[in-house]
Amino acid sequence: MDISGPAVRMRIYLGESDHLGHIPLYEAIVKRAREEGIAGATVLKGVLGFGASDHIRTSKLLDLSGDMPMVIEIVDTRPKIKAFQAILSEMMAECGKGGMVTLCEIEVLHYEPGKS
């Protein structure tokens, strides 16, 4: 796969405890993105955050939350991201939890597999 130049970064904000069946939602999304041939996806775990529920999630020892904020970043061309949006919407609706999805125009400067 070769992507360079104009692309789109999709960011998905959700909670660590969000599940699709018995699988964490963030894991299900990344696996599905791979199945759909998306160029790349990364999951980032937050240490502090809040969203529409206004509930602060933190990793502080005295306030251990089992629902840390998670961010999934997915990068590919606009047509591939647009096609994945419908799949993502279904997955998030099936999960029944909140979340937020954003899109940002980016430029890919370098994309190639590493050497093993």
Side-chain angles (χ1 to χ4, degrees), residues 37-102:
I38 296 292
T42 300
V43 178
L44 307 167
K45 185 174 184 176
V47 296
L48 180 69
F50 73 94
S53 69
D54 205 33
H55 173 76
I56 292 184
R57 296 175 170 110
T58 179
S59 62
K60 290 182 180 178
L61 188 57
L62 297 176
D63 188 24
L64 281 178
S65 171
D67 193 22
M68 296 305 298
M70 305 293 282
V71 178
I72 306 165
E73 292 199 350
I74 296 176
V75 174
D76 210 317
T77 61
R78 176 163 285 285
K80 294 282 288 271
I81 293 293
K82 279 296 211 186
F84 190 69
Q85 274 183 266
I87 294 166
L88 176 64
S89 291
E90 278 184 31
M91 294 175 80
M92 291 182 78
E94 187 177 333
C95 176
K97 297 284 187 159
M100 180 171 68
V101 180
T102 64

Side-chain angles (χ1 to χ4, degrees), residues 1-69:
M1 176 182 302
D2 178 36
I3 66 168
S4 61
V8 174
R9 178 182 60 225
M10 172 185 276
R11 278 195 180 147
I12 305 157
Y13 300 84
L14 43 85
E16 183 178 23
S17 69
D18 297 347
H19 282 70
L20 192 59
H22 67 281
I23 300 171
L25 182 58
Y26 63 86
E27 185 177 330
I29 291 169
V30 170
K31 285 180 177 179
R32 185 62 187 270
R34 187 169 186 231
E35 289 171 9
E36 296 298 319
I38 296 292
T42 300
V43 178
L44 307 167
K45 185 174 184 176
V47 296
L48 180 69
F50 73 94
S53 69
D54 205 33
H55 173 76
I56 292 184
R57 296 175 170 110
T58 179
S59 62
K60 290 182 180 178
L61 188 57
L62 297 176
D63 188 24
L64 281 178
S65 171
D67 193 22
M68 296 305 298

